[in-house]
Amino acid sequence: MRAGFSVLAESAESSASAGIGIGIGINFRCSKQANTMLDDLPENCISTIIKYLNPPEICKLALLNRAFHGASLADFVWESKLPSNYKFLVEKLLLLQYQSQNYIPKKLIYSKLCQPNRFDGGTKEAWLEKTTGKLCLSISSKALRITGIDDRRYWNYIPTEESRFHTVAYLQQIWWFEVIGELELELAPGSYSLYFRLQLGKASRRFGRRVCNLDQVHGWDLKPARFHLSTSNGHKASSECHLNNHGNWVHYRVGDFVVENPNMLVRINFSMVQIDCTHTKGGLCLDTVYIYPTEISNKLLKS
């Protein structure tokens, strides 16, 4: 054991010596009379380097000193992190906040777009994923066309802290189940995935603990629910499955679609149906429809 520690210590000492030697060499080449410090580097040089880092890393380096802080504010650094359709997003999501300003720092734009921004009467929400700058979207149950939603014998909106919109649509019982949604937005080129967030059972808090009432859950194991999506640029996807995960929120993947052209409005139509009228269905909570960039969707669903 001691021999092992001795070898590690010698290795660490040799690495440190090598690092010191390299540092001395760099200082000598930069200036024979004085050491070159980080503060001596031109801000534009620092900006060019940190441009290749992700936003959280840039923000950490901005805390080093004034030179790195100033370099981190450069517009071209943050413009490289923004999606290609960021001007559309500023007009769509931030218009009321910035309509009187001629110049908006790109870092401020990035920061504001990373926050959840509601639109279409507060029924939809968009934000940038902080690390990648990819656009994410959520659509509330109140933005969907739901068969029988106006009849309290079938559906009710119930409050809950488990939804980002603080409200979900709860189905008590119905024969014909159909939910339809639509979204039209300018999206940056890339691949996107669409999910329905559903739960069998009605959750509540009792004595500080989460409990889920499953009394009205029925009919979902007899026939599969079918999911569909189509886009105005020609992409289609569909899937089906039996809903059998009781008491937990589940993201059911409908499918993927691709946006090839920038600066083009894309209309997305999607639906969930179970219209076999031989039996009733009930006990389902419908929360949100999510649209995530495919490459990071698994990471976002786990967060």
Side-chain angles (χ1 to χ4, degrees), residues 117-125 138-140 142-143 164-165:
N117 295 282
R118 298 280 175 94
F119 62 103
D120 284 0
T123 61
K124 300 182 179 76
E125 197 171 71
S138 62
I139 303 165
S140 164
K142 290 189 174 182
R164 67 187 305 120
F165 291 97

Side-chain angles (χ1 to χ4, degrees), residues 43-217:
E43 283 188 7
N44 61 337
C45 291
I46 300 174
S47 298
T48 303
I49 295 170
I50 65 176
K51 173 184 175 182
Y52 296 97
L53 303 177
N54 63 43
E57 292 170 339
I58 294 172
C59 292
K60 289 178 181 178
L61 283 176
L63 301 175
L64 283 177
N65 54 43
R66 283 180 293 181
F68 273 79
H69 175 73
S72 71
L73 301 176
D75 273 353
F76 74 86
V77 170
W78 291 99
E79 189 162 17
S80 69
K81 308 304 175 188
L82 288 164
S84 60
N85 64 328
Y86 78 89
K87 293 180 181 179
F88 171 86
L89 297 177
V90 168
E91 295 177 359
K92 178 75 173 178
L93 306 177
L94 308 177
L95 178 61
L96 296 179
Q97 301 179 38
Y98 296 109
Q99 61 183 355
S100 62
Q101 296 186 15
N102 295 321
Y103 168 71
I104 312 171
K106 297 300 188 296
K107 182 178 180 180
L108 181 59
I109 292 176
Y110 192 90
S111 175
K112 290 293 184 182
L113 290 179
C114 283
Q115 300 173 11
N117 295 282
R118 298 280 175 94
F119 62 103
D120 284 0
T123 61
K124 300 182 179 76
E125 197 171 71
W127 69 96
L128 300 184
E129 198 276 323
K130 292 181 180 180
T131 302
T132 62
K134 302 288 186 179
L135 181 66
C136 306
L137 296 155
S138 62
I139 303 165
S140 164
S141 58
K142 290 189 174 182
L144 307 175
R145 299 197 302 276
I146 304 173
T147 299
I149 192 63
D150 296 324
D151 193 328
R152 286 184 172 271
R153 293 175 299 172
Y154 306 129
W155 289 90
N156 284 300
Y157 285 111
I158 59 175
T160 175
E161 292 303 311
E162 297 183 351
S163 169
R164 67 187 305 120
F165 291 97
H166 305 293
T167 303
V168 299
Y170 178 68
L171 172 65
Q172 299 175 99
Q173 179 173 287
I174 204 165
W175 292 88
W176 183 284
F177 179 90
E178 186 174 33
V179 177
I180 299 173
E182 180 180 287
L183 175 69
E184 187 173 55
L185 204 67
E186 185 178 304
L187 297 173
S191 176
Y192 298 85
S193 301
L194 190 143
Y195 299 84
F196 273 81
R197 187 175 189 256
L198 309 170
Q199 177 182 257
L200 290 178
K202 181 164 56 174
S204 61
R205 307 291 297 184
R206 185 177 299 169
F207 302 113
R209 298 182 61 184
R210 183 184 190 271
V211 295
C212 197
N213 187 335
L214 306 178
D215 292 347
Q216 292 180 312
V217 176

